[in-house]
Amino acid sequence: MPTILITTDHLTPGDEVDDYLTGLGFTTRHDPMRGRRTAGQLVTALDGVTGALVANEPMTAEVLGQASQLRAVVRTGVGCDSVDVAAASRLGITVSTLPGINANAVAEYTIGLLLVQARDLIGMATGVAAGSWPRRDGFELRGKTLGVIGRGAVAQRVGPLAEAFGLNVPEGLALDDLLGVSDFVSIHTALTDRTRHLIDAAALARMKPTAHLINTARGGIVDENALADAVRTGRIAGAALDVAETEPLPSGSVLRGVDGITVFSHMAGQTAEARRAAGIEGARELVAALAGHPAHAVGGPL
């Protein structure tokens, strides 16, 4: 029977997704991704596999070229920057994502990060844990301006939630103008060659010195060296990042030890509701792709 590789770490043998796939006659192979995995390890995991339901593995041209039986890959998320789509297309492998699958979860999380920054919640809790009793003034979201970078499903959900808190969410501004008027800048766009290091030293210099940067999209959109320097020197007030260029965050990352920068562990989309939806919809998309009619393909046979 065709074998399906499942690497998304919250999907397990005997769960709803597994039952769905095995009920259709597929053999499943669970090899959850936790931390980094080498190309060789991924090639080994893909041996004999027809379809793959994957997390954020680097599905490079080298890896895909050695997966001789692979015909479809589905990311249980919204981005495909970890997959070499062009190489997959040349090899006849369809690549799909699940657009909007965790949009509500990420939008709610984004509002949480705004509150974290506005009230220095991490700093306050850390101070209490260390034995002190910090009582510093924060500031309210009401009346502030949130600049949203991106127009996708998450960006569309963030706007109304932010407005419910009394934030102003301008639309239609050029990036330079948006950076200049915003008290918070929140990133909700895909990582592409055009957006890599979109937020660089020049972009950060256009922001208010009191502004905070929020990133729940992809780490590579922000130049981490420039951000660390900008926060350390007071060019901007701080940043809350759910993503980093290298994950897990290396011990020597420039983001570590910078007062005002808080890094979380890429969990914006990780709610019980979003995970369940991503698992079952990903499995359905994979079955459809193997049958030749994927609904959300971003690449396919040339």
Side-chain angles (χ1 to χ4, degrees):
M1 306 298 282
T3 297
I4 302 296
L5 173 67
I6 301 174
T7 74
T8 303
D9 62 2
H10 65 271
L11 300 177
T12 58
D15 65 8
E16 181 180 23
V17 169
D18 194 46
D19 287 347
Y20 171 73
L21 291 170
T22 56
L24 292 175
F26 293 100
T27 298
T28 57
R29 178 189 302 167
H30 288 77
D31 191 349
M33 179 183 177
R34 297 188 176 98
R36 297 185 180 92
R37 196 195 308 255
T38 67
Q41 290 171 325
L42 186 51
V43 168
T44 298
L46 288 164
D47 183 41
V49 166
T50 302
L53 194 60
V54 303
N56 207 33
E57 277 90 350
M59 305 286 280
T60 63
E62 174 193 2
V63 168
L64 293 169
Q66 297 180 71
S68 59
Q69 296 184 42
L70 188 63
R71 291 294 170 264
V73 174
V74 175
R75 276 267 297 110
T76 52
V78 300
C80 61
D81 48 283
S82 61
V83 182
D84 189 329
V85 176
S89 295
R90 290 192 298 271
L91 294 164
I93 301 169
T94 298
V95 179
S96 296
T97 64
L98 303 175
I101 197 71
N102 59 8
N104 191 70
V106 178
E108 289 184 2
Y109 185 90
T110 298
I111 299 300
L113 294 187
L114 297 183
L115 291 166
V116 162
Q117 294 302 106
R119 304 298 293 271
D120 188 22
L121 298 181
I122 301 298
M124 297 292 186
T126 300
V128 172
S132 63
W133 195 248
R135 292 178 57 79
R136 298 183 292 275
D137 286 349
F139 58 90
E140 298 180 14
L141 300 184
R142 182 181 55 181
K144 305 301 188 296
T145 296
L146 170 64
V148 176
I149 298 176
R151 300 179 180 177
V154 176
Q156 292 174 27
R157 298 283 182 94
V158 166
L161 291 178
E163 289 170 346
F165 277 84
L167 282 150
N168 173 44
V169 186
E171 298 180 9
L173 294 182
L175 179 60
D176 287 358
D177 295 331
L178 188 70
L179 294 172
V181 302
S182 297
D183 299 293
F184 298 93
V185 174
S186 190
I187 302 171
H188 303 287
T189 191
L191 176 62
T192 65
D193 290 341
R194 184 181 63 82
T195 63
R196 185 172 296 279
H197 286 189
L198 177 69
I199 304 302
D200 57 10
L204 292 162
R206 296 185 186 100
M207 293 172 61
K208 297 178 180 180
T210 54
H212 292 260
L213 180 70
I214 310 294
N215 188 9
T216 58
R218 288 292 184 270
I221 298 170
V222 177
D223 181 334
E224 293 178 350
N225 287 297
L227 176 62
D229 184 61
V231 176
R232 190 180 294 112
T233 60
R235 286 203 296 276
I236 69 170
L241 311 173
D242 189 54
V243 288
E245 290 200 74
T246 301
E247 298 177 0
L249 191 69
S251 59
S253 170
V254 296
L255 300 174
R256 291 188 181 274
V258 180
D259 288 342
I261 295 180
T262 304
V263 183
F264 298 88
S265 53
H266 200 155
M267 60 186 198
Q270 293 193 15
T271 62
E273 296 87 349
R275 281 187 160 197
R276 180 179 184 275
I280 195 63
E281 292 305 319
R284 289 171 178 161
E285 174 69 8
L286 186 57
V287 171
L290 290 172
H293 46 84
H296 304 294
V298 294
L302 293 176

